[in-house]
Amino acid sequence: MSYNIALNFEDGVTRFISCNEGETVLDAAYRNQINLPMDCSDGVCGTCKGSCHQGQFELGDEYIDEALTDEEAAEGKILTCQMVPSSDCVVEIPAASTLCKTGIASLTGTVVEVNLISPTAIELKLTADDDIAFLPGQYVNIQVPGTKEVRAYSFSSKPGSRELSFLIRNVPGGLMSSYLVGQCKAGDKLTLTGPMGVFYLRPVARPVLMLAGGTGLAPFMAMLEHLKAEGTDQPTHLLYGVTNDDDLVCVQALEQFAAEVENFSFKTVVASADSAHPLKGYVTNHMEDAPINHGEVDVYLCGPPPMVDAVLGYFRAQGIEPTSFHYEKFSPSVSAEAVA
Ligand code: FES
């Protein structure tokens, strides 16, 4: 028996390692050629302190209070030299990946198909040439063929599968958009580096509100795939806003999720005054079904910077402070910037 452990480093890099039954995270990382911070490996120095809020594990009683206090343990802090997982876990390591003799993973993928699914959105499907793991909501950097430039795109596909998909904003004249729309064909090889990012679905312990702007829908598709597989007993509501009617994509897939994921509902909103859509304006105009739950809600938001700012302003104006608020701002030509 072994478990998948996601090591999230403070530079945004995530590396997945396998951890054997009874093995500590520190030892498993070392076996996987990752040197996590450590000094004593005996629960004495505290150098290996990190945190874990996702997964089951034992810390034992061999460590001393100077290394990890009871209060710290109650907050989810761990010592990797003492932590023995009994399920898959996500562990935050407060050090850069490069300091741990590792770094961002790289692999190639083969293009299966590329479709212009709206004037503003491109769907790219790849088969990864090797196994790839990511947390639902994370992104990879994809190199634009023939250049050294990379672009950051969130996975919209199911974690754990080599069949990858991405929802990419079509930027007229953009480097990646021009390649995808003008040249890309099935069989092309693309180089991916990642996974990256802190915008990923945490364990669902309270209602969840998802707010997507444009192709910011992508990470939520991966999260919904995860919820479909794992199930949830918490209300989960998605508000998906776009500028024009024909920017709306993946609506059938969302209807399918609504049919298959218990407690999941969604609404689509179009901003343009010319729209024939029933719900017009911005997502903040249509929060009536949002499971705000007096602030006892986990909010996830992915969209362009003005939308992120508008939603933050909405919550401030309502005097609501959600239990957790995770957001990812994206713009067409720069890497994603995530805040959790
Ligand atoms: Fe010293 Fe873990 S390495 S407490």
Side-chain angles (χ1 to χ4, degrees):
M1 185 82 183
S2 65
Y3 305 109
N4 283 324
I5 310 300
L7 300 174
N8 284 347
F9 295 93
E10 69 175 13
D11 51 1
V13 170
T14 297
R15 296 302 304 248
F16 284 80
I17 58 169
S18 72
C19 186
N20 295 326
E21 189 87 45
E23 193 175 31
T24 66
V25 170
L26 183 69
D27 288 346
Y30 189 70
R31 193 169 47 71
N32 286 269
Q33 276 112 43
I34 297 174
N35 296 355
L36 295 180
M38 60 84 76
D39 196 359
C40 68
S41 83
D42 259 340
V44 174
C45 69
T47 309
C48 66
K49 197 179 295 177
S51 56
C52 177
H53 301 283
Q54 205 158 328
Q56 310 297 317
F57 59 88
E58 293 290 335
L59 282 175
D61 53 11
E62 302 278 300
Y63 63 89
I64 63 170
D65 205 47
E66 282 72 13
L68 187 75
T69 65
D70 290 346
E71 291 75 26
E72 288 176 315
E75 287 168 5
K77 293 271 192 300
I78 52 90
L79 300 171
T80 60
C81 73
Q82 303 298 305
M83 175 183 173
V84 177
S86 53
S87 77
D88 294 348
C89 290
V90 179
V91 181
E92 311 292 333
I93 304 295
S97 59
T98 45
L99 291 177
C100 302
K101 303 261 190 316
T102 185
I104 192 165
S106 177
L107 83 159
T108 55
T110 305
V111 174
V112 177
E113 56 182 306
V114 57
N115 302 305
L116 189 62
I117 54 174
S118 86
T120 51
I122 301 164
E123 180 188 56
L124 173 65
K125 293 188 173 178
L126 304 176
T127 301
D129 295 343
D130 287 299
D131 287 342
I132 176 168
F134 59 90
L135 300 170
Q138 287 193 306
Y139 68 91
V140 283
N141 292 315
I142 303 181
Q143 190 172 358
V144 184
T147 77
K148 290 190 172 152
E149 296 284 318
V150 297
R151 295 292 183 266
Y153 299 116
S154 303
F155 297 93
S156 58
S157 48
K158 182 180 172 183
S161 168
R162 283 192 185 192
E163 302 307 315
L164 308 177
S165 65
F166 302 90
L167 197 54
I168 294 173
R169 182 167 155 75
N170 182 22
V171 182
L175 205 55
M176 184 63 97
S177 296
S178 299
Y179 159 72
L180 289 173
V181 174
Q183 303 165 45
C184 182
K185 58 186 183 319
D188 281 6
K189 292 285 184 190
L190 295 177
T191 301
L192 283 62
T193 47
M196 300 280 293
V198 295
F199 187 77
Y200 60 86
L201 186 67
R202 306 316 200 259
V204 179
R206 58 186 69 80
V208 173
L209 174 60
M210 300 172 166
L211 301 165
T215 50
L217 179 66
F220 297 112
M221 300 300 278
M223 291 182 190
L224 289 166
E225 288 285 2
H226 174 81
L227 290 178
K228 187 170 104 178
E230 300 293 318
T232 174
D233 56 1
Q234 296 290 340
T236 302
H237 187 65
L238 167 72
L239 277 160
Y240 165 36
V242 296
T243 305
N244 296 302
D245 288 355
D246 55 11
D247 295 333
L248 279 175
V249 295
C250 302
V251 175
Q252 272 190 341
L254 292 174
E255 284 167 353
Q256 194 70 27
F257 282 128
E260 293 178 349
V261 180
E262 213 169 335
N263 299 307
F264 170 66
S265 59
F266 76 101
K267 276 182 181 168
T268 55
V269 182
V270 179
S272 169
D274 302 332
S275 168
H277 197 72
L279 300 184
K280 285 196 261 306
Y282 299 102
V283 294
T284 45
N285 301 127
H286 299 283
M287 299 285 266
E288 53 281 351
D289 292 340
I292 300 292
N293 199 28
H294 309 291
E296 267 289 303
V297 57
D298 292 331
V299 179
Y300 294 84
L301 191 167
C302 183
M307 176 183 173
V308 176
D309 296 339
V311 171
L312 288 171
Y314 170 86
F315 280 110
R316 265 197 303 273
Q318 300 289 315
I320 294 166
E321 196 170 331
T323 305
S324 75
F325 198 112
H326 311 271
Y327 64 87
E328 184 154 68
K329 288 181 179 179
F330 70 79
S331 57
S333 58
V334 296
S335 294
E337 172 198 339
V339 181

PDB file of all heavy atoms in Angstrom, residues 42-46 61-70 72 79 82:
ATOM      1  N   ASP A  42      14.667  13.448  14.073  1.00  0.00           N
ATOM      2  CA  ASP A  42      14.271  12.760  15.304  1.00  0.00           C
ATOM      3  C   ASP A  42      13.166  13.472  16.064  1.00  0.00           C
ATOM      4  O   ASP A  42      12.910  13.143  17.220  1.00  0.00           O
ATOM      5  CB  ASP A  42      15.495  12.668  16.235  1.00  0.00           C
ATOM      6  CG  ASP A  42      16.115  11.304  16.169  1.00  0.00           C
ATOM      7  OD1 ASP A  42      15.412  10.380  15.741  1.00  0.00           O
ATOM      8  OD2 ASP A  42      17.299  11.187  16.553  1.00  0.00           O
ATOM      9  N   GLY A  43      12.569  14.486  15.486  1.00  0.00           N
ATOM     10  CA  GLY A  43      11.501  15.196  16.196  1.00  0.00           C
ATOM     11  C   GLY A  43      12.016  16.129  17.266  1.00  0.00           C
ATOM     12  O   GLY A  43      11.299  16.441  18.221  1.00  0.00           O
ATOM     13  N   VAL A  44      13.242  16.623  17.119  1.00  0.00           N
ATOM     14  CA  VAL A  44      13.847  17.457  18.162  1.00  0.00           C
ATOM     15  C   VAL A  44      14.046  18.911  17.700  1.00  0.00           C
ATOM     16  O   VAL A  44      13.793  19.842  18.451  1.00  0.00           O
ATOM     17  CB  VAL A  44      15.210  16.855  18.597  1.00  0.00           C
ATOM     18  CG1 VAL A  44      15.935  17.788  19.569  1.00  0.00           C
ATOM     19  CG2 VAL A  44      15.004  15.483  19.229  1.00  0.00           C
ATOM     20  N   CYS A  45      14.448  19.109  16.458  1.00  0.00           N
ATOM     21  CA  CYS A  45      14.893  20.449  16.051  1.00  0.00           C
ATOM     22  C   CYS A  45      13.776  21.332  15.487  1.00  0.00           C
ATOM     23  O   CYS A  45      13.868  22.553  15.535  1.00  0.00           O
ATOM     24  CB  CYS A  45      16.023  20.333  15.036  1.00  0.00           C
ATOM     25  SG  CYS A  45      15.493  19.680  13.436  1.00  0.00           S
ATOM     26  N   GLY A  46      12.763  20.748  14.879  1.00  0.00           N
ATOM     27  CA  GLY A  46      11.668  21.531  14.277  1.00  0.00           C
ATOM     28  C   GLY A  46      11.986  22.054  12.885  1.00  0.00           C
ATOM     29  O   GLY A  46      11.164  22.738  12.271  1.00  0.00           O
ATOM     30  N   ASP A  61       4.255  10.067  19.136  1.00  0.00           N
ATOM     31  CA  ASP A  61       4.528  10.882  20.334  1.00  0.00           C
ATOM     32  C   ASP A  61       6.021  10.921  20.631  1.00  0.00           C
ATOM     33  O   ASP A  61       6.448  11.067  21.759  1.00  0.00           O
ATOM     34  CB  ASP A  61       3.742  10.344  21.536  1.00  0.00           C
ATOM     35  CG  ASP A  61       3.988   8.861  21.754  1.00  0.00           C
ATOM     36  OD1 ASP A  61       4.923   8.328  21.107  1.00  0.00           O
ATOM     37  OD2 ASP A  61       3.256   8.250  22.545  1.00  0.00           O
ATOM     38  N   GLU A  62       6.824  10.810  19.563  1.00  0.00           N
ATOM     39  CA  GLU A  62       8.276  10.764  19.749  1.00  0.00           C
ATOM     40  C   GLU A  62       8.922  12.144  19.691  1.00  0.00           C
ATOM     41  O   GLU A  62      10.087  12.295  19.995  1.00  0.00           O
ATOM     42  CB  GLU A  62       8.914   9.893  18.654  1.00  0.00           C
ATOM     43  CG  GLU A  62       8.394   8.480  18.597  1.00  0.00           C
ATOM     44  CD  GLU A  62       9.057   7.595  19.623  1.00  0.00           C
ATOM     45  OE1 GLU A  62      10.278   7.470  19.562  1.00  0.00           O
ATOM     46  OE2 GLU A  62       8.337   7.057  20.497  1.00  0.00           O
ATOM     47  N   TYR A  63       8.162  13.146  19.251  1.00  0.00           N
ATOM     48  CA  TYR A  63       8.769  14.474  19.082  1.00  0.00           C
ATOM     49  C   TYR A  63       8.593  15.299  20.361  1.00  0.00           C
ATOM     50  O   TYR A  63       7.735  14.995  21.204  1.00  0.00           O
ATOM     51  CB  TYR A  63       8.171  15.197  17.878  1.00  0.00           C
ATOM     52  CG  TYR A  63       6.691  15.498  17.980  1.00  0.00           C
ATOM     53  CD1 TYR A  63       6.233  16.687  18.549  1.00  0.00           C
ATOM     54  CD2 TYR A  63       5.737  14.583  17.511  1.00  0.00           C
ATOM     55  CE1 TYR A  63       4.875  16.952  18.640  1.00  0.00           C
ATOM     56  CE2 TYR A  63       4.385  14.841  17.590  1.00  0.00           C
ATOM     57  CZ  TYR A  63       3.959  16.030  18.155  1.00  0.00           C
ATOM     58  OH  TYR A  63       2.616  16.286  18.255  1.00  0.00           O
ATOM     59  N   ILE A  64       9.411  16.342  20.489  1.00  0.00           N
ATOM     60  CA  ILE A  64       9.339  17.153  21.705  1.00  0.00           C
ATOM     61  C   ILE A  64       8.613  18.473  21.414  1.00  0.00           C
ATOM     62  O   ILE A  64       8.516  18.907  20.270  1.00  0.00           O
ATOM     63  CB  ILE A  64      10.742  17.422  22.306  1.00  0.00           C
ATOM     64  CG1 ILE A  64      11.599  18.245  21.329  1.00  0.00           C
ATOM     65  CG2 ILE A  64      11.432  16.118  22.670  1.00  0.00           C
ATOM     66  CD1 ILE A  64      12.894  18.756  21.943  1.00  0.00           C
ATOM     67  N   ASP A  65       8.147  19.084  22.487  1.00  0.00           N
ATOM     68  CA  ASP A  65       7.341  20.299  22.399  1.00  0.00           C
ATOM     69  C   ASP A  65       8.096  21.445  21.717  1.00  0.00           C
ATOM     70  O   ASP A  65       7.509  22.263  21.021  1.00  0.00           O
ATOM     71  CB  ASP A  65       6.932  20.710  23.824  1.00  0.00           C
ATOM     72  CG  ASP A  65       5.659  21.537  23.807  1.00  0.00           C
ATOM     73  OD1 ASP A  65       4.704  21.113  23.123  1.00  0.00           O
ATOM     74  OD2 ASP A  65       5.643  22.606  24.440  1.00  0.00           O
ATOM     75  N   GLU A  66       9.418  21.479  21.906  1.00  0.00           N
ATOM     76  CA  GLU A  66      10.211  22.554  21.287  1.00  0.00           C
ATOM     77  C   GLU A  66      10.178  22.435  19.761  1.00  0.00           C
ATOM     78  O   GLU A  66      10.356  23.417  19.039  1.00  0.00           O
ATOM     79  CB  GLU A  66      11.671  22.516  21.771  1.00  0.00           C
ATOM     80  CG  GLU A  66      11.900  23.081  23.148  1.00  0.00           C
ATOM     81  CD  GLU A  66      11.370  22.184  24.262  1.00  0.00           C
ATOM     82  OE1 GLU A  66      11.037  21.005  23.986  1.00  0.00           O
ATOM     83  OE2 GLU A  66      11.253  22.674  25.398  1.00  0.00           O
ATOM     84  N   ALA A  67       9.986  21.231  19.256  1.00  0.00           N
ATOM     85  CA  ALA A  67       9.927  21.029  17.798  1.00  0.00           C
ATOM     86  C   ALA A  67       8.527  21.332  17.277  1.00  0.00           C
ATOM     87  O   ALA A  67       8.367  21.936  16.212  1.00  0.00           O
ATOM     88  CB  ALA A  67      10.325  19.598  17.452  1.00  0.00           C
ATOM     89  N   LEU A  68       7.509  20.913  18.012  1.00  0.00           N
ATOM     90  CA  LEU A  68       6.117  21.132  17.582  1.00  0.00           C
ATOM     91  C   LEU A  68       5.233  21.158  18.823  1.00  0.00           C
ATOM     92  O   LEU A  68       5.151  20.162  19.553  1.00  0.00           O
ATOM     93  CB  LEU A  68       5.669  19.990  16.649  1.00  0.00           C
ATOM     94  CG  LEU A  68       4.291  20.170  15.999  1.00  0.00           C
ATOM     95  CD1 LEU A  68       4.365  21.194  14.867  1.00  0.00           C
ATOM     96  CD2 LEU A  68       3.773  18.842  15.442  1.00  0.00           C
ATOM     97  N   THR A  69       4.580  22.293  19.058  1.00  0.00           N
ATOM     98  CA  THR A  69       3.709  22.381  20.236  1.00  0.00           C
ATOM     99  C   THR A  69       2.352  21.747  19.925  1.00  0.00           C
ATOM    100  O   THR A  69       1.994  21.560  18.756  1.00  0.00           O
ATOM    101  CB  THR A  69       3.480  23.852  20.645  1.00  0.00           C
ATOM    102  OG1 THR A  69       2.763  24.499  19.582  1.00  0.00           O
ATOM    103  CG2 THR A  69       4.794  24.579  20.904  1.00  0.00           C
ATOM    104  N   ASP A  70       1.597  21.459  20.993  1.00  0.00           N
ATOM    105  CA  ASP A  70       0.250  20.898  20.805  1.00  0.00           C
ATOM    106  C   ASP A  70      -0.620  21.865  20.017  1.00  0.00           C
ATOM    107  O   ASP A  70      -1.435  21.454  19.197  1.00  0.00           O
ATOM    108  CB  ASP A  70      -0.406  20.617  22.166  1.00  0.00           C
ATOM    109  CG  ASP A  70       0.270  19.465  22.874  1.00  0.00           C
ATOM    110  OD1 ASP A  70       1.045  18.743  22.208  1.00  0.00           O
ATOM    111  OD2 ASP A  70       0.030  19.302  24.087  1.00  0.00           O
ATOM    112  N   GLU A  72       0.334  24.033  17.756  1.00  0.00           N
ATOM    113  CA  GLU A  72       0.716  23.974  16.343  1.00  0.00           C
ATOM    114  C   GLU A  72       0.138  22.721  15.680  1.00  0.00           C
ATOM    115  O   GLU A  72      -0.375  22.779  14.558  1.00  0.00           O
ATOM    116  CB  GLU A  72       2.241  23.982  16.199  1.00  0.00           C
ATOM    117  CG  GLU A  72       2.870  25.332  16.510  1.00  0.00           C
ATOM    118  CD  GLU A  72       4.391  25.274  16.461  1.00  0.00           C
ATOM    119  OE1 GLU A  72       4.985  24.308  17.009  1.00  0.00           O
ATOM    120  OE2 GLU A  72       4.984  26.189  15.869  1.00  0.00           O
ATOM    121  N   LEU A  79       5.528  17.729  11.464  1.00  0.00           N
ATOM    122  CA  LEU A  79       6.970  17.530  11.253  1.00  0.00           C
ATOM    123  C   LEU A  79       7.088  16.427  10.207  1.00  0.00           C
ATOM    124  O   LEU A  79       6.576  15.312  10.423  1.00  0.00           O
ATOM    125  CB  LEU A  79       7.655  17.098  12.554  1.00  0.00           C
ATOM    126  CG  LEU A  79       7.561  18.074  13.731  1.00  0.00           C
ATOM    127  CD1 LEU A  79       8.098  17.418  15.014  1.00  0.00           C
ATOM    128  CD2 LEU A  79       8.344  19.362  13.431  1.00  0.00           C
ATOM    129  N   GLN A  82       8.250  13.049  11.287  1.00  0.00           N
ATOM    130  CA  GLN A  82       7.386  12.254  12.175  1.00  0.00           C
ATOM    131  C   GLN A  82       6.068  11.872  11.505  1.00  0.00           C
ATOM    132  O   GLN A  82       5.369  10.973  11.980  1.00  0.00           O
ATOM    133  CB  GLN A  82       7.066  13.053  13.454  1.00  0.00           C
ATOM    134  CG  GLN A  82       8.280  13.517  14.231  1.00  0.00           C
ATOM    135  CD  GLN A  82       9.127  12.352  14.735  1.00  0.00           C
ATOM    136  OE1 GLN A  82       8.613  11.475  15.424  1.00  0.00           O
ATOM    137  NE2 GLN A  82      10.391  12.338  14.371  1.00  0.00           N
TER     138      GLN A  82
END
